[in-house]
Amino acid sequence: MVKHAKPKGFYDVFERKSQDFPAGETTHYCPGCGHGTVHKLIAEALVDMGLQDRTIFLSPVGCAVFGYYYFDTGNIQCAHGRAPAVGTGVARSLDDAVVISYQGDGDLAGIGTAEIVHAANRNENMAVFFVNNAIYGMTGGQMAPTTLLGQSTTTSPLGRKSEREGGPIHMAEVMSALEGPIYIERCTLSSPAGVMKTRKAVRKALTNQSEKRGFSFVEILSPCPVGWKMTPVQSRSWMASSMESVFPVKRFRDEEAAPKGNGRLPFLDDGALRDLVGAVANEVPTKVSTLSQDLGVKIAGFGGQGVMSAGILLANAAIHEGLHTTWLPSYGPEMRGGKANASVVLSSDAVGSPVVDVPQALLAMNGPSLDAFENHVVPGGLVMVNSSLISRKVERRDVRVFEAPVSDLAAEAGFLKGANIVMLALFALESGVIGIQTLKEIIPKSMKNKDLVEINLRLVDVAEEFHGRE
Amino acid sequence: MKRTLMKGNDAVVRGALLGGATHFFGYPITPASEIAHGAADLFTRSGRTFLQAESETSAINMMYGAASSGARTMTASSGPGVALMLEGLSYLAGSQLPTVIVDVQRAGPGLGNIWPEQSDYDMCCKGGGHGGFHNIVLAPSSGQEMADFAHKAFDMADAYRMTVVILSDAYIGQMMEPVALPQDVRHGARKSWAVYGDEESRSNLISSIVMSQEGLANLNMELQAKYQRAARDLTDWEEEQTEDAQLIVVAFGITARIALTAVRMLRSEGHRVGLLRPKTLFPFPQERIAELAQVGGRMAVAELNEGMMARDVERAVAGRCPVSRYNWFGGVVPSAEEMVLRMKEDLDG
């Protein structure tokens, strides 16, 4: 006598079942439901293939929400439709895990379409078992994305009509449009032969998974007698007569894929990580300057004039001087050619506000910048004007004005783009806030493009010569 | 330690890596995109994992999976993206998974604009998603704190099995300041509750479903007890000249920086004003605020929203002294001079 027993891949007793379902050795599924069959095929395969310890089973939202009642594996319960994203997180964390995403049609083909499409497209290392029963079972027999035309449900009581609800979505075919998946097959539970083919497909997907060959997708047409209001026998013949003509049962893809690497670079140890991120110990500032009060500097011009990088250079020079500093950018809507200004605050103390609304110094690189900020400068403040591009005079009488044709000076030295450096060097010389020597030390350190170091240092000399003449 | 000029959005990535982060799942959004850029570079080059998700919804669920597998995982976004993560935040809380989220706040509602606001306060501090849960919310107000808070956030998340939100803003994220990066590299330990795909962890279950009412009530009580423990152990703030202050401004993030300058300006004119800056917004320093709320004194809450933190301050003050509200929104950031004007009105009043 053959004694049928539960597969060892299931728990002996389903202790996680709540009081809403009778605890013990039976599942919560309705009589005639296909989930029990698919569960059994997976559980048997996991044991036969020795994968139980390595497996992490993702339960969806839907009838299989309680997958973790049954599978004696690592279990994660997921939000509705999100299991392929959760599985991505698992697969990216555990190289050797066997990740199973078990989903129904509302979960995978409705709310979770983005997640399944992109996980498949990335060829994530996971096996997806998609149980398609053309209805929302758990929530009360509503229309699913896979509900057939003419099929009546609690939310398509007159029968699904393409003009009203659109037609059923074909997920195996959608998967086939993607380059990622290595294995795609649609099976059916309508007959014992179909179940045996499904058994093979389950094992094929799990083999791919255990050998880390990539993304496998098995769609399983499955009966829901209660949702369909049929007897189990009727439901199987309806599957054969109606479902399988809409959802052709076939193998869509079976690639001979080599095991996938994880694509990661070597894991850096603590020392190498510190070096990479720049966590460098102990560099004491060469000097500690003091300022009698916080100094707010506004550097303004059009995008591409280097006002941002001049600000960064000023802030770096401030650090070199042992000062506290902040740099705050403000861009116009355009990336290039629009208005741009940088606010830099220098202080002997920790900087409070980085916002410079009333600057002690304005470095105006073009006319609109002078127009915009001249009136904001604090009385007694410094206004530096790029007279190459600004023809008008500063109207304020209560500020100190320094004019210099910084664009022309830079162009004459052969590097128009360095007008910002000429302006900054002149500001250093005129204000005395940072030393010109500091600037010369900072330029080689903070310039990313080392080819430009020499010309920028020459522009500092140009500024010094000009300042000496003035 | 070497002080390097860097953006807050850069500092937070470096601090996180030093804090043991191994998995970053991101989706670009201004003004937080620089964090994804930095993570794509540094997480990848250090042999950690960076993955650009198809949406914020997927990013938070990838974090759910990575955290379930014991990894130290994070993301960064701004208001509209964090809003999409609220579903995931609730599941993370229900399943008690540790993660870290950086929210570089922009102005809303809707698409709003990319200038600073602090209007994600309620969304982040009051839980945000469905069900009664909280996140630990840290409020950095400098590039240094972006690095330091990210560095300690993963230990904190693991210790409480909670999501830690680093609630930043467009200015704190995008401005550059000298930052001295932490020196010690932290690592997450193996977690007894996580699933590792091995024999030892095979019996573990990560789930937020509890079908029985009594069981779910127990989970909720367990969460609330954890939040009370966090309130006792983690509440953090900083004070500036509050001892003799007649007017104490309460502000966090970029607004606290501006208020600090305003306090210094008014002090130099002889006014007795001070600043209380919460460094944790959940838990909130309500007991200290209650202590400082004296009869005859006054408090003011300065923030870039319509009064979200003010409601928490007013509850702590409980009528012991008047509480003014200084509010800006739409991306408008006040100067210290504007803040001084508001404070003077209160000092005169």
Side-chain angles (χ1 to χ4, degrees), chain A residues 174-366:
Chain A
V174 170
M175 292 292 109
S176 299
L178 305 171
E179 288 177 9
I182 58 162
Y183 174 56
I184 304 165
E185 179 152 358
R186 183 184 284 126
C187 308
T188 180
L189 302 181
S190 65
S191 65
V195 173
M196 288 317 287
K197 273 197 162 176
T198 306
R199 180 177 185 272
K200 274 190 184 159
V202 164
R203 285 169 188 244
K204 172 92 189 161
L206 290 174
T207 303
N208 287 341
Q209 224 320 247
S210 69
E211 292 170 2
K212 296 183 266 180
R213 294 179 191 275
F215 188 92
S216 298
F217 184 90
V218 180
E219 176 171 344
I220 302 160
L221 304 181
S222 177
C224 180
V226 171
W228 297 348
K229 300 186 172 51
M230 296 179 194
T231 66
V233 174
Q234 284 170 335
S235 61
R236 271 153 182 86
S237 65
W238 185 76
M239 285 173 73
S241 64
S242 302
M243 262 187 112
E244 288 166 18
S245 57
V246 175
F247 298 111
V249 173
K250 66 174 194 175
R251 182 172 291 183
F252 291 81
R253 186 180 300 169
D254 184 10
E255 277 176 16
E256 283 299 319
K260 249 164 73 97
N262 59 28
R264 284 196 304 275
L265 297 174
F267 192 91
L268 295 189
D269 64 18
D270 293 0
L273 181 70
R274 270 193 293 268
D275 289 346
L276 176 70
V277 303
V280 185
N282 289 324
E283 183 177 292
V284 182
T286 43
K287 41 181 169 173
V288 181
S289 306
T290 51
L291 293 173
S292 56
Q293 59 164 353
D294 288 6
L295 189 78
V297 182
K298 182 82 92 180
I299 310 173
F302 55 77
Q305 272 190 312
V307 299
M308 297 302 169
S309 53
I312 292 170
L313 212 51
L314 176 58
N316 268 317
I319 295 174
H320 196 77
E321 298 272 359
L323 293 169
H324 295 265
T325 187
T326 55
W327 170 94
L328 183 68
S330 172
Y331 304 91
E334 308 88 357
M335 287 291 282
R336 286 277 177 274
K339 281 189 281 186
N341 72 75
S343 298
V344 180
V345 178
L346 294 82
S347 175
S348 303
D349 207 351
V351 179
S353 173
V355 180
V356 178
D357 272 13
V358 186
Q360 273 83 17
L362 168 65
L363 279 53
M365 293 295 289
N366 66 355

Side-chain angles (χ1 to χ4, degrees), chain A residues 9-22:
Chain A
F10 287 145
Y11 295 116
D12 289 338
V13 179
F14 301 143
E15 287 172 349
R16 283 179 178 149
K17 284 178 75 177
S18 73
Q19 79 271 27
D20 291 353
F21 302 106

Side-chain angles (χ1 to χ4, degrees), chain B residues 148-170:
Chain B
D148 291 346
F149 288 5
H151 183 247
K152 70 178 178 183
F154 295 90
D155 282 354
M156 217 178 248
D158 279 355
Y160 291 85
R161 293 183 62 181
M162 284 174 71
T163 292
V164 175
V165 178
I166 298 177
L167 190 62
S168 181
D169 61 68

